[in-house]
């Protein structure tokens, strides 16, 4: 490309970008980098457009090696082809807008040819340094004899608390400043952390510990709160220890002190959080930027316990932090192994790899107490995670599991299924049942969609659901706000105390003469009724995208997939959807679409895994791919 071609190349990114998918923002950023960088042939502008596009698609950076020499923008001859890797690297580093790690330039290029926006390179660098530093440091002295006795009581032999892995996870969380506990639904993550808090509070002088519970969304925070409130009552601990276990959970944004119309929080490195122990649930939903800001605000002495499922979908924002943290195997140094075996009271399994500070902090819970060996849902989830399409399809097609159903072709029965699924809920509304009864009935069924838009998207299915339910006489939707209308909040509103993911139902309010109000139920069981006009951004909630359903559980789900494969359809999406159900999963998808989804993994390009696990063997544990080795193909960033 000559200098005269640069303007045409930039225009081509928009006017004839084909499958490249560059946005107007990508192009304007490319123009700015071209203007500031002395970009004679457009190589810097092209790189800037690619990294802007990649970040918007959830990647932390872009691997230039995956793009070098390839046709990035197809169309009229000659199109736009990326330079060879060596030449591209030289042109970037020779410009005024790109430098190596630590440089104060808009673009950062690392030694593995990963190109970052400056802000995201700093986020990644902060997260890696903070996690490794926290994993390497030990908390204050722990009374090992007391801890061993407490763990023996909290995890009794032959009990239903998970024994080995859960007990090890609890011990690690007490003995380390950083603990990451990952496991699927029903593996006991929350019950483990309740016992962690009990063991910590039983330590000498620990009654003054400042403990905080948090989660990424309001729904997830409420579920954590409910679980801790119920679980602490079952503990065999002194009354003063039980009373000291907190039950209030906040969203991470509320915990950090969100500022209106700002990306910054009240708590940061200059105004640290007043906590000694922080428990964060649903960590798979936390993006890189929020992780960096959380770690900035956490005091150096504080313990951090992250709970989550590494196999679930990552955040919709940039990064797949939990997956990358869990990308190596657990291993313990001789010193920590001796202490763990002392307090656990049993030998630990041998380590297959050398111990690092981070490997000592990661514990994986693999046994599911919700989905046993005879559970169709559990077996299907395992097949999907293992990329075993043949096993998954055989399981679905056999019809031998009462908790699984597969509709391989659109047979016109979806409307009937929706009416059956929501009938009990809407009959409760019509009968004027107590709101708590209504909410319990509503959470028994949901339709989950892969996409928001399109014929099989959440928007279309919500409209179709309303039409079917009105046709069945279950709702009277002649007005926009009708009794039984469910809504999901789409943004945080701190003045109203509503958060992204909160679900409300329109019900008659006896205190307002029967006027319709949107009713919300808190984790404490308290009800709040708001006039519809006061709500922040919201959407119908008969059908949800799988992303929106994260952090929620339902008795039954119908998973509706589009008729053709798409980049959104991945095994992580299938796994997340399947494991939202407690009792029954019905999948409506064609065989080819299911096969394609099971074969495709989420690709989140970043360098965090390499920073955290520099010696991790290939394929150690499922996680984000190594960004230096691969990256998104053009048009799929």
């Amino acid at each position: 490309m000559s200098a005269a071609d640069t303007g045409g190349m930039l225009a081509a990114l928009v006017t004839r970008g084909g499958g490249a998918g560059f946005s107007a923002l990508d192009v304007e950023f490319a123009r700015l980098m071209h203007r500031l960088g002395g970009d004679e042939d457009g190589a810097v502008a092209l790189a800037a457009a690619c990294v802007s596009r990649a970040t918007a698609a959830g990647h932390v950076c872009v691997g230039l090696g995956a793009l070098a020499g390839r046709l990035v923008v197809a169309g009229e001859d000659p199109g736009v082809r990326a330079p060879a890797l060596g030449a591209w690297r030289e042109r970037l580093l020779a410009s005024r807008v790109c430098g190596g790690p630590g440089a104060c330039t808009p673009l950062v290029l690392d030694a593995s040819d990963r190109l970052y926006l400056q802000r995201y390179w700093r986020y990644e660098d902060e997260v890696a340094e903070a996690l490794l530093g926290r994993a390497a440091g030990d908390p204050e002295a722990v009374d090992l004899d007391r801890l061993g006795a407490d763990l023996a009581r909290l995890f009794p032999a032959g009990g239903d608390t998970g024994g080995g892995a859960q007990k090890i996870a609890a011990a690690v969380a007490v003995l380390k400043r950083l603990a990451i506990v990952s496991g699927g639904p029903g593996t006991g993550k929350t019950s483990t952390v309740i016992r962690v808090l009990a063991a910590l509070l039983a330590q000498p002088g620990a009654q003054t510990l400042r403990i905080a519970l948090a989660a990424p969304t309001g729904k997830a925070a409420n579920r954590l709160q409910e679980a801790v409130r119920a679980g602490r009552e079952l503990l065999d601990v002194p009354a003063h220890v039980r009373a000291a276990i907190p039950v209030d959970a906040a969203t991470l944004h509320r915990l950090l002190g969100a500022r209106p119309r700002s990306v910054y929080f009240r708590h940061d490195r200059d105004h640290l959080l007043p906590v000694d122990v922080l428990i964060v649930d649903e960590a798979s939903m936390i993006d890189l930027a929020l992780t960096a800001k959380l770690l900035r605000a956490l005091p150096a002495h504080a313990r951090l316990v992250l709970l989550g499922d590494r196999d679930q979908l990552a955040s919709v924002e940039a990064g797949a932090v939990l997956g990358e943290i869990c990308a190596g195997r657990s291993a313990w140094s001789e010193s920590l192994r001796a202490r763990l075996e002392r307090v656990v009271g049993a030998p630990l399994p041998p380590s297959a790899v050398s111990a690092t500070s981070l490997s000592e902090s990661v514990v994986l819970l693999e046994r599911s107490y919700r989905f046993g060996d005879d559970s169709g849902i559990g077996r299907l989830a395992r097949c999907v995670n293992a990329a075993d399409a043949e096993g998954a399809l055989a399981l679905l097609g056999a019809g031998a599991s009462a908790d699984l159903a597969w509709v391989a072709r659109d047979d016109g029965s979806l409307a009937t299924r929706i009416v059956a699924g929501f009938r009990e809920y809407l009959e409760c509304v019509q009968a004027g049942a107590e709101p708590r009864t209504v909410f319990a009935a509503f959470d028994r069924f949901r339709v989950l969609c892969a996409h928001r838009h399109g014929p099989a998207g959440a928007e279309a299915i919500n409209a179709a659901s309303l039409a079917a339910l009105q046709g069945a006489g279950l709702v009277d939707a002649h007005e926009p706000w009708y009794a039984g209308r469910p809504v999901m909040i789409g943004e945080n509103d701190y003045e109203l105390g509503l958060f992204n993911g909160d679900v409300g139902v329109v019900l008659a309010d006896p205190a307002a003469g029967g006027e319709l109000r949107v009713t919300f139920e808190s984790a404490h069981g308290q009800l709040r009724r708001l006039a519809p006009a006061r709500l922040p951004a919201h959407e119908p909630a008969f059908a949800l995208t799988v992303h929106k359903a994260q952090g929620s559980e339902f008795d039954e789900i119908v998973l509706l997939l589009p008729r053709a494969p798409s980049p959104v359809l991945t095994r992580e999406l299938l796994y997340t959807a399947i494991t939202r159900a407690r009792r029954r999963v019905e999948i409506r998808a064609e065989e080819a679409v299911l096969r394609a989804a099971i074969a495709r993994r989420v690709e989140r390009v970043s360098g965090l895994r390499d920073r955290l696990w520099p010696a991790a063997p290939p394929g150690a544990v499922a996680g984000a791919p190594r960004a230096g080795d691969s990256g998104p193909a053009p048009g799929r960033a």
Side-chain angles (χ1 to χ4, degrees):
M1 293 177 290
S2 68
D5 294 329
T6 300
M9 182 273 288
L10 291 170
L13 297 179
V14 173
T15 60
R16 55 183 177 86
F22 291 102
S23 69
L25 178 62
D26 301 335
V27 174
E28 288 307 313
F29 179 66
R31 289 184 184 278
L32 177 63
M33 293 300 98
H34 168 68
R35 189 167 65 250
L36 297 178
D39 182 22
E40 294 184 355
D41 61 2
V44 172
L46 180 60
C50 288
V51 71
S52 175
R53 178 187 64 177
T55 303
H59 306 285
V60 176
C61 54
V62 65
L64 296 186
L67 301 175
R70 299 178 64 175
L71 193 66
V72 178
V73 180
E76 300 173 7
D77 185 63
V80 177
R81 186 175 296 276
L85 181 58
W88 207 359
R89 183 191 308 118
E90 290 178 9
R91 294 178 206 180
L92 282 165
L93 293 176
S95 76
R96 294 188 292 270
V97 296
C98 184
C104 294
T105 50
L107 302 175
V108 175
L109 184 64
D110 75 4
S112 297
D113 296 314
R114 291 179 284 239
L115 184 68
Y116 297 79
L117 298 176
Q118 168 72 223
R119 180 160 53 105
Y120 283 92
W121 181 85
R122 290 195 177 277
Y123 286 151
E124 186 175 280
D125 185 61
E126 281 188 57
V127 168
E129 291 296 328
L131 288 174
L132 292 174
R134 193 168 293 277
D138 289 334
E140 68 281 358
V142 173
D143 184 331
L144 296 181
D145 291 334
R146 178 63 181 268
L147 178 59
D150 289 334
L151 291 179
R153 186 175 64 257
L154 292 166
F155 296 92
D160 60 357
T161 56
Q166 289 188 18
K167 196 173 185 180
I168 292 169
V172 168
V174 175
L175 295 174
K176 299 276 292 180
R177 281 196 298 148
L178 175 67
I180 301 96
V181 182
S182 176
T187 53
K189 299 184 295 295
T190 307
S191 63
T192 297
V193 85
I194 296 168
R195 288 163 174 79
V196 168
L197 295 177
L200 279 171
L201 289 164
Q203 286 285 304
Q207 286 70 37
T208 59
L209 281 176
R210 298 167 299 175
I211 300 171
L213 309 177
T217 67
K219 183 72 172 179
N222 284 345
R223 286 191 57 224
L224 174 62
Q225 194 164 285
E226 292 167 359
V228 173
R229 181 182 294 276
R232 74 172 186 172
E233 301 306 317
L234 304 176
L235 296 178
D236 178 16
V237 295
H240 73 276
V241 172
R242 180 181 295 107
I245 296 175
V247 295
D248 291 332
T251 65
L252 287 173
H253 284 78
R254 169 169 276 190
L255 177 76
L256 291 170
R259 294 174 171 174
R261 297 175 295 279
S262 174
V263 298
Y264 298 103
F265 294 99
R266 183 165 56 86
H267 290 290
D268 55 22
R269 60 172 59 91
D270 297 320
H271 302 87
L272 297 175
L273 287 165
V275 299
D276 303 305
V277 181
L278 176 59
I279 310 294
V280 181
D281 198 11
E282 296 291 352
S284 65
M285 300 168 65
I286 309 175
D287 62 87
L288 180 69
L290 185 55
T291 304
K293 293 168 186 177
L294 177 66
L295 292 170
R296 280 179 202 165
L298 196 61
H301 74 275
R303 287 178 173 86
L304 174 63
V305 181
L306 300 177
L307 308 174
D309 185 345
R310 63 176 183 170
D311 295 316
Q312 278 193 30
L313 281 169
S315 165
V316 294
E317 304 297 333
V321 178
L322 183 67
E324 292 176 308
I325 293 174
C326 297
R329 291 190 176 99
S330 298
W332 297 279
S333 65
E334 289 304 315
S335 172
L336 181 60
R337 177 182 289 274
R339 285 182 290 157
L340 286 173
E341 290 182 343
R342 177 176 170 182
V343 299
V344 170
L348 267 63
S351 300
V353 294
S354 300
T356 67
S357 58
L358 188 58
S359 74
E360 294 184 330
S361 296
V362 177
V363 182
L364 305 180
L365 304 181
E366 297 179 337
R367 180 181 175 185
S368 176
Y369 293 85
R370 180 183 306 166
F371 304 129
D373 293 339
D374 60 343
S375 163
I377 294 175
R379 285 184 288 162
L380 180 60
R382 289 190 287 274
C383 285
V384 169
N385 263 345
D388 180 7
E390 296 301 330
L393 291 168
L395 187 62
L396 288 169
S401 296
D403 56 352
L404 293 179
W406 179 26
V407 180
R409 292 286 185 271
D410 182 5
D411 60 0
S413 64
L414 179 60
T416 302
R417 182 70 184 92
I418 288 170
V419 170
F422 288 117
R423 179 176 292 280
E424 180 186 358
Y425 153 64
L426 291 169
E427 287 178 346
C428 286
V429 173
Q430 291 177 338
E434 287 292 320
R436 293 175 183 83
T437 302
V438 171
F439 276 103
F442 183 52
D443 277 345
R444 292 190 183 118
F445 176 75
R446 204 72 92 250
V447 181
L448 303 185
C449 305
H451 296 148
R452 177 179 300 277
H453 307 295
E459 289 182 351
I461 300 307
N462 270 307
S465 297
L466 178 57
L469 295 169
Q470 187 164 12
L474 293 172
V475 297
D476 181 5
H478 292 96
E479 297 294 333
W481 293 97
Y482 55 88
R485 177 182 174 181
V487 296
M488 173 174 275
I489 301 300
E491 62 183 32
N492 297 332
D493 188 319
Y494 293 93
E495 292 183 1
L496 290 177
L498 294 177
F499 302 97
N500 184 18
D502 286 353
V503 173
V505 174
V506 178
L507 298 172
D509 182 4
E515 290 288 329
L516 293 179
R517 296 287 186 266
V518 187
T519 304
F520 295 88
E521 185 179 32
S522 74
H524 298 288
Q526 297 173 330
L527 298 176
R528 299 185 60 216
R529 302 178 191 266
L530 298 172
R534 298 187 64 195
L535 295 188
H538 57 274
E539 58 192 49
F542 290 118
L544 306 174
T545 63
V546 177
H547 268 106
K548 285 286 189 180
Q550 279 187 273
S552 299
E553 291 178 355
F554 313 101
D555 286 352
E556 300 184 20
I557 66 121
V558 168
L559 174 60
L560 183 62
L561 301 184
R563 300 192 66 175
S566 83
V568 171
L569 299 182
T570 63
R571 73 183 71 150
E572 290 86 354
L573 181 136
L574 289 182
Y575 171 82
T576 302
I578 291 164
T579 54
R580 295 313 88 205
R582 290 182 285 253
R583 298 181 184 173
R584 189 174 187 273
V585 171
E586 178 180 308
I587 297 178
R588 289 176 171 258
E590 296 186 5
E591 179 178 330
V593 172
L594 273 175
R595 285 185 180 277
I598 293 170
R600 185 191 296 273
R601 292 203 57 191
V602 170
E603 294 181 358
R604 289 290 176 90
V605 183
S606 87
L608 184 60
R609 170 178 166 165
D610 287 346
R611 292 286 301 274
L612 297 177
W613 302 98
V621 171
R626 287 183 176 271
D629 298 337
S630 64
R636 287 184 49 207

